[in-house]
Amino acid sequence: MAKGLNSCDGRKAHSAFSAPRSSLPPAALPRRARLLATAAALSIAVAFSGCSSLPSSGPTNALARADQIPPATLPYAMVKVTNDVEDILERNAIRLGKVFVDRRGPSEIRFGIGDTVSVTIFEAASGGLFIPADAGVRPGNYVTLPNQQVDTQGNITVPYAGAVKAQGRTAVQVQSAIVGALKSRAIEPQVVVALVEQRASSISVLGEVGTPSRFPASASGERLLDAIARAGGPRNPGYDTWIMLEREGRQAAAPFAAILEQPANNIFVRPQDTIYVFTQPQTFVAFGASGQQGQFPFGAWRLSIAEALGKIGGLNDNLADPASVYLYRGERREVAEQLGVDCGRFGGPVVPVIYNLNLRDPAGYFLATRFEMRNKDVIFTSNANSVETSKLLTYLRLITATINDPLMAAVNGYTVKGLATGTSGATVVNTTTTVK
């Protein structure tokens, strides 16, 4: 049998041990050639259009760097990170000063509706309006009226003086009003007015503090940090904490660092102020060929782009192009102009800017340690060119395999049919060798 399998002896091998070169009839060969030619043309066409249709996590290098696109047609500006750029950004960094513009000193405590007040009236001698002549020995010629609340009209009541306006007045002003009403009837009257229970002049501290509460304003004056301390202090880390102050229908908010680092922002609180302490972490988003993708908190007062890249696990060694690290940010118009951006094609006060950081250059790492992140920044790391090429080749292989599979199935079908019927006229070439 081994000899029968050898084609070199000039004898025809048995059909059961032959493999046909082609089982297609001669008329089918040109059609198959045409199909293969069509498949080849289709593959070439896809090759030219494949780059724009390949899956990706973001813009390609060419699109992100705008190498082949006129800059004037782009809806953003491209800026390469250099020492000069970082100097401009540092000079124009957002300062935390002057967040709260109302910098008045401590407020006088004034009576309001609901406050409980005590009134004591003194006369120079007995026999007057309040001290009878036969009063005898007394520790003083005075009378203390029962405590009373300031009514809904803002008044208190004093015998022989009637309703006296108290709302919006200080204790000294109320004393003068009572003395003026009694001086023609009492003997050299003098009056002492005291605040027994303070309800109207209060300060509320709410939100994420140790003990949210409402407490009376201090006559000596308290600042924002004093009021927050009285409520137990912030419950969360300071770098994630914000302070909102509501006063007279107006609101202003600032990070907790604005109060600690700029003492001018630690203003005096005033009666009826509401302080709300809340948590709003500063975050950035990472996409592309980085170690991790997603939203990440700063976890600190300040964060550089080098630290941000470290938080996301650095660049992916198998995918990333170190020269194609981009940071997306909206810059103030005046800052963009200093960066050399043509702002004439952008409307509004904010200009979209993409910063390009080249970490293939060792100097880029020093720049990365100086470049300060801002809340809601976006970092995108592009794939290397070789990764895109590999994707394209895989894509082409998928297309050609998809076209070739039905053709091979047809060939195999004709082969099986020819073997079954014994009608195959194909020439058989045996490649086996004789077993010795």
Side-chain angles (χ1 to χ4, degrees):
M1 181 175 294
K3 185 177 180 180
L5 292 174
N6 190 358
S7 62
C8 296
D9 58 1
R11 290 178 296 177
K12 184 176 180 180
H14 193 276
S15 61
F17 299 98
S18 63
R21 180 178 300 169
S22 173
S23 61
L24 288 176
L29 292 177
R31 184 172 59 184
R32 182 186 180 192
R34 288 196 300 270
L35 289 174
L36 291 176
T38 303
L42 180 61
S43 299
I44 294 173
V46 172
F48 283 103
S49 63
C51 293
S52 61
S53 60
L54 290 175
S56 177
S57 62
T60 61
N61 289 359
L63 181 58
R65 292 195 300 258
D67 291 338
Q68 301 175 355
I69 303 176
T73 64
L74 294 173
Y76 52 82
M78 290 292 302
V79 176
K80 292 186 179 295
V81 178
T82 63
N83 283 315
D84 293 338
V85 168
E86 291 192 341
D87 290 341
I88 293 172
L89 294 178
E90 187 173 347
R91 287 196 304 268
N92 291 275
I94 299 176
R95 305 300 177 186
L96 297 178
K98 299 183 179 179
V99 176
F100 304 112
V101 296
D102 188 351
R103 301 179 182 278
R104 290 176 290 175
S107 175
E108 292 182 302
I109 302 300
R110 297 177 180 271
F111 297 136
I113 296 174
D115 285 343
T116 301
V117 179
S118 71
V119 178
T120 302
I121 302 173
F122 293 82
E123 289 189 279
S126 59
L129 185 61
F130 295 97
I131 310 299
D134 57 350
V137 179
R138 295 171 59 94
N141 296 323
Y142 68 89
V143 60
T144 299
L145 303 181
N147 294 342
Q148 58 182 308
Q149 285 188 340
V150 179
D151 62 23
T152 57
Q153 303 299 318
N155 300 323
I156 59 174
T157 301
V158 177
Y160 306 105
V164 178
K165 187 70 173 180
Q167 182 183 13
R169 289 181 171 182
T170 64
V172 174
Q173 292 171 333
V174 175
Q175 289 170 184
S176 298
I178 297 174
V179 169
L182 296 178
K183 64 182 179 180
S184 61
R185 306 184 67 178
I187 302 175
E188 299 181 16
Q190 294 187 17
V191 178
V192 174
V193 177
L195 183 61
V196 177
E197 186 176 357
Q198 184 177 344
R199 294 183 178 178
S201 300
S202 59
I203 298 168
S204 299
V205 181
L206 309 174
E208 298 178 357
V209 292
T211 308
S213 57
R214 183 182 183 189
F215 46 81
S218 172
S220 62
E222 290 181 310
R223 297 183 180 268
L224 276 174
L225 291 179
D226 299 326
I228 294 172
R230 288 181 66 177
R235 288 205 303 258
N236 297 308
Y239 51 76
D240 286 340
T241 300
W242 283 67
I243 309 298
M244 185 182 72
L245 173 64
E246 182 177 355
R247 174 179 295 175
E248 298 174 357
R250 300 178 182 178
Q251 294 180 348
F256 194 58
I259 303 175
L260 295 178
E261 297 182 359
Q262 298 290 335
N265 282 322
N266 190 24
I267 61 174
F268 284 101
V269 293
R270 304 177 70 82
Q272 306 307 320
D273 279 356
T274 299
I275 302 169
Y276 182 67
V277 180
F278 62 99
T279 299
Q280 183 175 308
Q282 297 186 89
T283 60
F284 68 94
V285 179
F287 296 111
S290 56
Q292 301 179 59
Q293 299 184 23
Q295 185 182 50
F296 301 88
F298 278 25
W301 295 107
R302 294 183 178 87
L303 190 73
S304 68
I305 192 172
E307 294 169 321
L309 291 173
K311 288 180 73 70
I312 63 177
L315 307 183
N316 190 320
D317 188 53
N318 297 320
L319 300 175
D321 178 8
S324 302
V325 178
Y326 302 98
L327 184 136
Y328 292 68
R329 172 187 295 173
E331 287 288 4
R332 303 195 311 275
R333 195 176 190 87
E334 58 271 19
V335 177
E337 291 175 348
Q338 296 179 40
L339 293 172
V341 175
D342 179 13
C343 297
R345 55 195 173 96
F346 300 105
V350 178
V351 176
V353 177
I354 300 179
Y355 293 96
N356 176 214
L357 180 64
N358 183 5
L359 293 181
R360 198 177 292 279
D361 180 3
Y365 289 87
F366 293 102
L367 297 174
T369 58
R370 287 186 57 197
F371 195 100
E372 190 169 322
M373 298 284 293
R374 293 183 192 166
N375 192 28
K376 307 306 179 184
D377 277 351
V378 176
I379 297 176
F380 173 74
T381 306
S382 183
N383 288 337
N385 290 330
S386 60
V387 175
E388 303 302 324
T389 303
S390 176
K391 287 182 181 180
L392 178 59
L393 294 177
T394 303
Y395 190 52
L396 291 176
R397 183 177 179 84
L398 175 63
I399 293 175
T400 56
T402 302
I403 297 173
N404 189 54
D405 286 348
L407 294 177
M408 292 304 300
V411 170
N412 293 336
Y414 278 109
T415 302
V416 173
K417 180 179 179 181
L419 292 175
T421 60
T423 59
S424 175
T427 303
V428 178
V429 178
N430 294 322
T431 59
T432 56
T433 57
T434 302
V435 179
K436 297 181 180 179

